Amino acid sequence: MLFGGLVLGFSWLFLGIIMFITIIGIPWGRAAFNFGLLMLWPFGRVAVSRAAYNGEGDLGTGTLGLIGNIIWMIFGGIWLAIGHLIAALVCAITIIGIPFALQHLKFAMMAPMPIGKVIISKEEARSRGLA
């Protein structure tokens, strides 16, 4: 929480609220809320493709999901990714901050394309062969 999780977690949640206000942005808002909550407590949970998790595609994992992710990347994802990269650099300065830096790098990779993902425990991901 102290090493960037609180600020960036609330950034995800804030963007989610903005998206919900627009009505058309509800899919982005839902994804932002999922990742915001994951950001507040990231250890022991992972984000995996909803298509791989359910074994079938849906609206968010197909072409419309890709278009949604591209729109998200332009307006929110790239900025969150930059924030996570900066937080990772700051955390990596000390030895104790390296695990937090690794979490921020994980989020920097996920920030541009959150639509079509589901958050599950690492144990469930391993048991399903997704991790």
Side-chain angles (χ1 to χ4, degrees), residues 18-38:
I18 297 298
M19 293 296 157
F20 266 93
I21 290 171
T22 67
I23 305 296
I24 196 168
I26 289 175
W28 293 286
R30 182 174 163 239
F33 280 145
N34 288 338
F35 278 85
L37 295 174
L38 179 63

Side-chain angles (χ1 to χ4, degrees), residues 4 10 20 26 28 33 40 42-43 54 58 63 65 74-75 81-82 84 86-87 93 95 98 102 112 115-116 127:
F10 283 132
F20 266 93
I26 289 175
W28 293 286
F33 280 145
L40 292 174
F43 299 102
N54 292 332
D58 61 24
T63 305
I74 294 166
F75 292 108
I82 291 168
H84 283 294
I86 292 168
I93 292 172
I95 292 174
I98 291 174
L102 294 175
I115 296 175
S127 70

